[in-house]
Amino acid sequence: MAFFQMASDTNPLSLSPNFILPENHRPHLSHVSTLDSIPIIDLNDHDTNNLVQKLSQASEAYGFFQIINHGVPEELCNRMMTASTQFFKLAPEEKEQYFTTDQTKKVKLFNYFLKIQGQEKVNMWSETFSHPWHPTDFLPENPPQYRVVFVEYAKEIGLGLAKDCLQKKLGENPTLRAQANYYPPCPDPELTLGLAVHTDPNALTVLRQTEGVTGLQVIKDSKWVGVDPLPNAFVINLGDQIQVLSNGRYKSVHHRAVTNIIQPRLSIAMFYGPNKDTLIGPIEDLIDEEHPPFYGRYHYAEFLEEFYRQEGTRRLVKEVFELQRN
Ligand code: OGA
Ligand code: NI
C-alpha cells in the first residue's frame, strides 16, 4: 500500500507496523541538543571579504547554514510552497500517475524506506515528489498554477547560484532537480522518521521549509541539532561532491527529518549537482605532499549509480571513492 493513500486522512490515529523503526534507528527526540544552532548568514553584507569568510567558516564547521536577505521574493516562495502543498493534497487517483519505485524516472512520487536486516522494509513518514528544473512539460497539470510558479521559482534560485559562480567548478549543464518532501502529522514521532539519516549526493542544496514547524536536524559534534525555520530564510547545505572537491575541508553533513504530532510540514529542496559526465575529484590546488588526496576521481554518473545501489541502507557512498592510505 502506498503511503500517499493515507496522507489525506486528516487524523491518522495509529502507526501501522510498516512505519515503526527498530529501537536503534528511532530519533530519541529528548537527546536533541538545544544548545547549538547552525549559523545564520546575512547576504546583504556589503563587506564581501567578511561574507566569504563567514560562508567558508560555516561550510567547514557545520556544512549547513541559513541565509537571510537573499533577494528571492518572499511572496514567490509562499506561492511555491502553496502550489506544492496543493499537489500533495490532490486526490490519490490523480497522484497515482506519478507514483513509482523506479529511481531512474524523471518525474517521480515515492516513499523513502529503510531496509533493516531480518525485517520488512520500514517506510518513512513522508511522501516525496521529485522532478528536474527543466524541461517543465512533464510537470503536473494540477494544481493549475504549479508549472508557472515552479518555472519562476527555479529561475530565481538558479540566478542566485549562478552569481556564486559554482558553474566553473561543476561544469556546464549542471544536474538540477527539485524535491518536495511532505510530512503529515504523525501519531507517534518517537517511533518513526520523516527522512532517514543521510547526506545529499549532489553539490549544493537550497531548502525552503514551512515556517513555524521544526523537523530538520543536523549532526554537530556527534549531537543532533534542530534547524529552526527563520522567516523568509533558506537553509543551504553542502553535498558530497563539495566534500570531495574540497578534499574533505568542506563537510557534507548527516541530517534527517523528524515528524510531529500536530502540524503538517513541507520542505522544497532545490538540488544543484554536476553534470553526469563531469569528472570529480579533489581540486588540484588543494593537493600537495602535506595534503594528499582523500578521494579518487570518478564521473558523477558513477557516484549516482553507487548512490542508488545503496538505496534503503545508511548510505556510505563517498566512502567507496576514498583512497586507501597507510
Ligand atoms: C532532503 C532533505 C530535509 C527536510 O530533501 O534531502 O534533507 O527538511 N530534506 O525535509
Ligand atoms: Ni538532504
Side-chain angles (χ1 to χ4, degrees):
M1 176 202 60
F3 176 56
F4 66 88
Q5 287 169 321
M6 280 183 54
S8 53
D9 296 354
T10 44
N11 191 12
L13 288 175
S14 69
L15 215 50
S16 61
N18 59 324
F19 291 100
I20 299 179
L21 288 162
E23 170 70 28
N24 60 338
H25 287 263
R26 290 182 193 168
H28 299 282
L29 297 170
S30 62
H31 296 180
V32 174
S33 170
T34 49
L35 297 174
D36 206 349
S37 57
I38 66 169
I40 298 161
I41 296 180
D42 186 345
L43 291 192
N44 195 15
D45 182 338
H46 297 292
D47 182 346
T48 314
N49 287 338
N50 185 37
L51 185 58
V52 169
Q53 205 184 351
K54 278 191 194 154
L55 290 167
S56 176
Q57 277 168 357
S59 304
E60 275 186 54
Y62 289 83
F64 261 87
F65 46 89
Q66 300 206 59
I67 55 170
I68 54 171
N69 293 320
H70 41 69
V72 181
E74 180 165 23
E75 154 281 326
L76 171 60
C77 298
N78 293 342
R79 274 191 286 136
M80 187 64 237
M81 293 291 278
T82 302
S84 190
T85 303
Q86 285 173 353
F87 172 79
F88 284 109
K89 291 198 166 151
L90 291 175
E93 310 82 76
E94 182 154 13
K95 276 203 284 181
E96 198 162 20
Q97 61 182 303
Y98 303 105
F99 189 78
T100 179
T101 53
D102 177 356
Q103 287 290 2
T104 62
K105 283 265 165 66
K106 276 204 150 109
V107 178
K108 53 197 179 189
L109 177 66
F110 59 97
N111 304 121
Y112 278 113
F113 59 84
L114 278 182
K115 284 189 237 165
I116 286 166
Q117 245 193 343
Q119 207 180 318
E120 299 270 297
K121 287 176 183 172
V122 180
N123 264 304
M124 300 295 100
W125 192 264
S126 59
E127 291 174 43
T128 295
F129 185 50
S130 162
H131 60 71
W133 292 18
H134 320 279
T136 50
D137 33 336
F138 303 104
L139 297 189
E141 282 172 15
N142 279 316
Q145 79 280 25
Y146 189 93
R147 284 186 192 184
V148 178
V149 177
F150 182 77
V151 168
E152 211 182 319
Y153 187 71
K155 197 167 144 203
E156 278 289 333
I157 302 289
L159 286 175
L161 291 170
K163 241 182 9 204
D164 294 336
C165 304
L166 267 174
Q167 296 120 309
K168 281 201 199 122
K169 286 280 172 271
L170 298 176
E172 300 284 306
N173 302 318
T175 306
L176 302 171
R177 293 197 62 87
Q179 175 169 315
N181 307 294
Y182 181 69
Y183 309 94
C186 175
D188 197 338
E190 286 286 4
L191 298 183
T192 185
L193 277 168
L195 219 55
V197 181
H198 70 283
T199 60
D200 292 357
N202 58 334
L204 193 95
T205 304
V206 179
L207 183 114
R208 188 85 185 179
Q209 50 176 338
T210 305
E211 238 181 272
V213 188
T214 63
L216 175 59
Q217 298 178 343
V218 312
I219 287 273
K220 173 73 165 90
D221 302 331
S222 322
K223 283 213 170 70
W224 287 107
V225 173
V227 178
D228 290 335
L230 290 176
N232 195 23
F234 289 108
V235 178
I236 310 287
N237 69 286
L238 307 181
D240 293 340
Q241 305 319 307
I242 297 287
Q243 178 161 334
V244 171
L245 283 162
S246 70
N247 202 32
R249 180 171 161 193
Y250 292 157
K251 303 294 180 318
S252 171
V253 168
H254 281 100
H255 53 286
R256 67 183 187 183
V258 301
T259 60
N260 80 84
I261 201 163
I262 299 165
Q263 290 160 301
R265 177 170 177 270
L266 176 75
S267 69
I268 302 176
M270 297 294 273
F271 293 140
Y272 188 103
N275 185 281
K276 298 221 164 49
D277 302 325
T278 306
L279 199 56
I280 301 285
I283 294 171
E284 308 265 313
D285 293 355
L286 299 174
I287 304 301
D288 55 30
E289 262 183 34
E290 276 156 51
H291 304 93
F294 278 113
Y295 303 98
R297 287 184 178 279
Y298 54 82
H299 289 102
Y300 185 49
E302 296 171 65
F303 192 95
L304 287 182
E305 218 172 273
E306 181 61 26
F307 177 80
Y308 290 123
R309 210 183 57 75
Q310 294 188 24
E311 162 104 74
T313 65
R314 177 150 182 175
R315 282 172 165 138
L316 297 170
V317 185
K318 57 188 171 308
E319 288 72 4
V320 170
F321 297 93
E322 278 176 10
L323 294 173
Q324 297 291 324
R325 270 138 191 289
N326 303 306

